[in-house]
Amino acid sequence: MSKQTITSREDMLMPTYNRFPLTLVKGKGSYVWDEQGAKYLDYTSGIATCNLGHTPDVVKNQVEKQLQDLWHCSNLYHIPSQEKLAEILVKNSFGDKVFFCNSGAEANEASIKLARRYAQAVKKTNAHEVVTFSNSFHGRTLATLAATGQEKIQQGFAPLAPGFRYLPYNDDKALDGLVSSETCAVLLELVQGEGGVVPADFDWVKKLAAICKENDILLMIDEIQTGIGRTGTLFAYQQYEIEPDVISIAKGLGSGIPIGAVIANEKAAEAFTPGTHGSTFGGNPLSAAAGLATVSHIVESGILEKSINLSSYLVEKLQQLKGQSDVIEEVRGKGMLQGIAVKGNAIDYVTKAREHRLLILVAGPQVIRILPPLTTNKEEVDAFYSVMQKVFCVK
């Protein structure tokens, strides 16, 4: 496209997104408004990012205060809000140390680097291989798309970064071949989001964790989408009776202000020393203030207990919907991360929902993804259910 053929500002953007025909200009709680003033119930939460709803006051107030003081100073200096955020994450997880970055892909990149350096600099081996699983999604950088177990994500980016091996997800027998002399870590989603909202089997995860511990390879849990309360606990691993070595988080961490993090135990964190990794913007005063306000509120307010009750009610309504429609094959997920497997194209149902001013997403070609904010209420779930009845043509 030449400059002469550009007819709108949209044409100046690289076409990396299939954007919905909707421009959002305002958000509050579970709702967003378009430029014509139409109100939508948003059960996407910015793809599991606005866990406290849109522009939550508890976060906005802290961000506005920080805006008056200091936006950025780099990690060459001490950042009090970053240190406080690290403290609350450590106190409420298995971890001992935290590294801050800007996004989920960067958090997974850092995890991969940490795993390789742990194997080579700490254990003094040549191990470098990271095992991931079919239909996983770990990001779109060169390393994280290589870690992703989906060919469609990798097409056109050859040669892929070496050092990744894929096993079938939730396959007990496949774990017999988990470890080789080159294996340094396993990277795992406990609910595959982009892969179709598929929860990991409890016993399978327990067996996998035991193999990792026995062979001293790092168990790394990708909590980019499941973390910060999305599944009913602060982190999804807490529902599996395991203790990972590393978790990666982002999305809900800053309530929409970009921030990511890696939480590691003392053993794994030993691999990172000054100069081995870094980030210019990671955990800067502004993003750390948002993260600190977000996590503090989730931990201290009792919102997780309320969201567990609401997610049970949401699942109850989804199961009712399934019983009323012969095109719904399965309802699955954890907490406020739910999927509806359907016959036909999931995007058609997403489009119809949007026409009724309800925003939902897909998770693959035949799965609808439901991501309410943790702050939603029973009345909003009922409104969601009412629209979904129209979407599936049931009464």
Side-chain angles (χ1 to χ4, degrees):
M1 179 182 293
S2 67
K3 287 189 176 182
Q4 287 72 31
T5 61
I6 292 175
T7 59
S8 69
R9 292 172 181 165
E10 184 181 348
D11 289 337
M12 299 177 192
L13 298 172
M14 290 190 184
T16 53
Y17 305 100
N18 287 317
R19 298 180 193 270
F20 297 126
L22 183 62
T23 301
L24 301 178
V25 297
K26 178 184 174 182
K28 192 65 182 175
S30 299
Y31 293 93
V32 290
W33 287 261
D34 68 14
E35 57 188 350
Q36 282 78 42
K39 181 181 179 181
Y40 294 78
L41 178 60
D42 181 10
Y43 268 22
T44 74
S45 297
I47 315 182
T49 295
C50 302
N51 288 5
L52 295 179
H54 291 280
T55 61
D57 290 341
V58 68
V59 179
K60 183 180 73 171
N61 293 340
Q62 292 303 310
V63 169
E64 288 179 345
K65 182 178 182 300
Q66 189 63 51
L67 282 169
Q68 302 303 314
D69 298 331
L70 180 68
W71 297 8
H72 180 74
C73 65
S74 93
N75 283 294
L76 295 177
Y77 307 96
H78 292 283
I79 302 174
S81 57
Q82 182 189 108
E83 293 168 1
K84 291 176 183 177
L85 177 54
E87 180 183 28
I88 197 169
L89 290 171
V90 165
K91 285 184 175 179
N92 289 277
S93 74
F94 70 95
D96 300 300
K97 305 283 187 180
V98 184
F99 170 82
F100 289 104
C101 53
N102 307 294
S103 67
E106 288 179 66
N108 280 335
E109 283 269 348
S111 298
I112 292 164
K113 287 183 68 175
L114 184 67
R116 289 185 175 173
R117 187 165 172 83
Y118 172 74
Q120 296 170 34
V122 178
K123 293 176 62 181
K124 308 298 183 183
T125 73
N126 293 319
H128 64 279
E129 178 187 75
V130 177
V131 175
T132 67
F133 296 89
S134 57
N135 293 320
S136 60
F137 181 84
H138 299 294
R140 294 182 182 275
T141 65
L142 282 174
T144 56
L145 72 84
T148 291
Q150 299 187 53
E151 288 186 8
K152 67 180 182 180
I153 302 295
Q154 301 169 341
Q155 289 176 356
F157 298 106
L160 296 179
F164 297 94
R165 179 164 55 96
Y166 318 105
L167 293 180
Y169 189 69
N170 275 340
D171 187 319
D172 195 67
K173 187 176 181 181
L175 295 183
D176 295 337
L178 180 69
V179 180
S180 76
S181 61
E182 296 185 337
T183 307
C184 68
V186 170
L187 180 59
L188 169 72
E189 295 167 284
L190 292 173
V191 181
Q192 290 189 330
E194 295 287 339
V197 192
V198 182
D201 178 74
F202 181 87
D203 291 335
W204 181 75
V205 171
K206 293 276 285 183
K207 180 178 178 180
L208 187 155
I211 294 172
C212 290
K213 186 174 183 179
E214 179 181 349
N215 291 274
D216 192 20
I217 61 175
L218 298 187
L219 175 58
M220 309 194 301
I221 306 297
D222 180 339
E223 295 257 15
I224 306 302
Q225 191 158 170
T226 57
I228 319 301
R230 175 56 51 184
T231 66
T233 48
L234 190 61
F235 306 111
Y237 82 83
Q238 292 164 330
Q239 300 175 42
Y240 282 86
E241 297 180 5
I242 61 170
E243 188 169 290
D245 298 292
V246 178
I247 64 172
S248 47
I249 56 176
K251 287 191 179 290
L253 182 56
S255 291
I257 305 298
I259 183 172
V262 176
I263 306 174
N265 59 23
E266 192 79 47
K267 177 183 78 171
E270 184 183 349
F272 274 177
T273 56
T276 55
H277 196 51
S279 172
T280 296
F281 296 106
N284 74 7
L286 189 63
S287 64
L292 179 59
T294 299
V295 179
S296 296
H297 185 70
I298 288 176
V299 168
E300 297 167 3
S301 67
I303 193 173
L304 288 178
E305 291 78 5
K306 293 178 182 177
S307 75
I308 289 171
N309 292 332
L310 258 297
S311 66
S312 296
Y313 183 66
L314 173 65
V315 171
E316 178 184 325
K317 304 306 285 186
L318 291 174
Q319 291 292 356
Q320 287 181 19
L321 194 67
K322 178 178 181 294
Q324 297 166 345
S325 174
D326 58 4
V327 301
I328 297 177
E329 297 185 320
E330 186 182 6
V331 172
R332 61 193 184 222
K334 282 186 178 295
M336 291 297 186
L337 170 53
Q338 295 293 325
I340 307 173
V342 297
K343 298 175 183 176
N345 295 320
I347 191 63
D348 295 338
Y349 301 103
V350 171
T351 299
K352 194 169 182 181
R354 190 176 68 252
E355 292 169 355
H356 290 279
R357 297 188 180 177
L358 168 67
L359 304 184
I360 52 180
L361 297 170
V362 298
Q366 292 185 291
V367 180
I368 298 167
R369 187 168 19 165
I370 313 298
L371 295 161
L374 308 184
T375 52
T376 195
N377 56 45
K378 189 173 182 291
E379 291 72 26
E380 291 168 353
V381 174
D382 287 339
F384 158 81
Y385 175 65
S386 179
V387 171
M388 293 298 279
Q389 286 184 306
K390 298 173 183 176
V391 168
F392 287 101
C393 301
V394 299
K395 297 180 179 179

